[in-house]
Amino acid sequence: MDAQGRGRADDVDPADQWVLNPRTGEYELRLSPSAPQSPVPGPRRGAPRSPGSAKDAGGGAGTARRRTAAPGREVPPQRRRRPEEPAPGRRGRRPEKKSKGKRALLWVGGSTAFVVLVAGVGGYVYLKHLEGNVSTTDVGSAGSSSFKKDEAFNILIIGTDKRTGEGNEGYGDKGSVGHADTNILLHVSEDRSNATALSIPRDLIVDVPDCETVQKDGTKEIISGTSNVRFNTSLGESGRDAGCTMRTVKEATGIQPDHFMMADFNAVKTLTTAVGGVDVCVEKAVDDPKSHLKLPAGESKVEGEQALAFVRTRHAFGNEGDLDRIKVQQQFLGSLMRKMSSSDTLTSPTKLVKLAEAATKALTVDKAIGKVGTLKDMALELKKVPPKNITFTTVPVIDNPAEKVKATVVVNETKGPQVFDMIRNDISFTEVKQKEKKEASAVAARLKGERSEPSEVRVRVMNGGAPAGSAQQELAYLQTDAGVTKSENAGNAPGEVAKTTLEYAPDQADQARALAEILGLSGAAMKPGESVTNSQGLPTMTLTLGKDFKGAGVKLDAKSVETPDLDKSTADQKQCAS
């Protein structure tokens, strides 16, 4: 359309009509009078001005200018405009319309870019039609039936090797039904202080369980499981859907995925193009004839075909294996997150609209999160997590000892169980200070009041999920260093708990406050209840060490637990692939 607003209706790019309202921080669709009306309902922009207002009079002054007639001519009375009629020379407001559309986050995105889009986009628009772009799969009991905003949650992000679109002939297996080629289990903590993106190697040897799939006609079919197979066969093989992959994750790690998001190769190309490219860095110049990736040493910007080549190449980095490619993909996602958070993306309606369209068209999710309202709620929760506390790491693995020619991997039984256990119990992989929570007054009051002397505190220590020997180690610290001499080891608790707790009777509150100060317990960790009898027949409190126990003498409100020796990074770090 030309400068005068003339031209064909189909020449107008709706993305160029979205304008940021500085008062609300939201984007509004503002079309010129000759522009076509968008099928997307626009935001409510307020009621039209009253017909008698000073500004509507056209002069902009407090009173209308008096009209004067030439001699011998009668001045016709000034016509009053209807409320919906625009003032002369001004663009009028459209009448306010009621819309049944729910607000949708503009970022709503495709699979591997899910975290990225959440971190980056803060503007809302009425784009209900995006919901029609998203494909859904009924995974039945493999996932959660709904999304809950007040709980920790796990999303299985799947990138398949299925070829769609043009220019993808050099990637994946020709004619592939779409295997689970790239897999990230995203865990978001209950308090939203941190998140963990755990990559699962496609060549990890697992047992795929029997899984129920819903067919197109609504009937259900049980697909038999297989043992000692690659993880990537949990999708596509024998008609398996994403629900089978979710069940395989539960079987291999003990972690229950709540939802899944899936996209194919084309998603990387369309998403990176929509944001104008992603910054990457390589330590050495790359010239890979198989993926056609050519990059100079140092920093570069990639998008489209080049971006896909960057995340798919297996021969440009490390030992040319899948594990090194996973590291590069994690670095790429971190960079994409930073790009989405940049001002040039957030303030560009054109980029945001293109991104939303490209992302939703690339996305398949489970039915429980297939509605825009649910995706919006999920986005708002994910957006609370600081990028510096989003940890990227990989399932700890070793070469498969059953193979002479090493091609697959198995879980490292020394490190793997602790990693899985931390995610199951919502324990952070980053050293973040515990959030200051506004607890209910009754809970906060548990820490206020008089405190007994350490020597008067009677407590028995139980192990409820901490590493073996923790109860005895903590007991030694209490007796030797903290002066809590009236303490004893009560062995293992009846069951495992995620968080350390202290149970005490009402008349032991002064002792409980003293011990809470020594251990760094929060008010929520203090559990008013009943006392028990110790070995001397005296009433005593019960301290149960949970899986958040950090070691003897380490306060629980200090930092996250000490993690096993892992190769990990966070979303705010800039790294160069090597």
Side-chain angles (χ1 to χ4, degrees), residues 442-495:
V443 175
R446 296 171 188 171
L447 295 171
K448 298 177 181 179
E450 295 184 359
R451 294 176 174 81
S452 299
E453 292 296 322
S455 60
E456 297 302 317
V457 174
R458 289 193 299 273
V459 62
R460 62 175 191 155
V461 183
M462 303 186 75
N463 191 334
S470 294
Q472 185 58 41
Q473 294 168 13
E474 184 71 349
L475 178 66
Y477 164 76
L478 290 174
Q479 292 181 340
T480 305
D481 299 315
V484 184
T485 55
K486 297 178 181 178
S487 52
E488 61 183 44
N489 188 343
N492 292 327

Side-chain angles (χ1 to χ4, degrees), residues 22-34:
R23 294 179 299 171
T24 64
E26 300 178 357
Y27 286 98
E28 298 177 355
L29 183 61
R30 300 179 183 175
L31 298 177
S32 61
S34 61

Side-chain angles (χ1 to χ4, degrees), residues 385-400:
V385 183
K388 67 177 181 179
N389 292 336
I390 299 176
T391 301
F392 291 101
T393 191
T394 305
V395 171
V397 295
I398 58 174
D399 289 333
N400 187 353

Side-chain angles (χ1 to χ4, degrees), residues 18 28 33 39 110 122 153 198 218 222 248 267 328 376 414 422 459 493 509 576:
W18 289 99
E28 298 177 355
F153 58 93
L198 180 69
I222 302 295
T248 303
V328 173
K376 176 201 70 175
T414 302
M422 290 175 66
V459 62
C576 288

Side-chain angles (χ1 to χ4, degrees), residues 421 462-468 470 492-493 495-498 544-549:
D421 194 64
M462 303 186 75
N463 191 334
S470 294
N492 292 327
E496 294 187 349
V497 295
T544 304
L545 305 179
K547 294 182 178 181
D548 60 342
F549 179 70

Side-chain angles (χ1 to χ4, degrees), residues 306-365:
Q306 196 176 32
L308 179 58
F310 183 82
V311 297
R312 289 297 306 160
T313 180
R314 294 186 59 158
H315 306 284
F317 309 111
N319 61 6
E320 302 187 7
D322 191 52
L323 295 179
D324 287 295
R325 181 171 62 176
I326 286 175
K327 295 178 185 178
V328 173
Q329 291 172 346
Q330 292 171 349
Q331 294 167 13
F332 179 84
L333 285 177
S335 180
L336 187 51
M337 292 179 73
R338 293 190 295 273
K339 180 60 179 285
M340 287 302 306
S341 301
S342 65
S343 59
D344 68 327
T345 300
L346 295 178
T347 58
S348 171
T350 302
K351 285 185 179 180
L352 291 176
V353 170
K354 288 180 179 178
L355 176 62
E357 292 291 347
T360 52
K361 289 177 182 178
L363 181 66
T364 300
V365 302

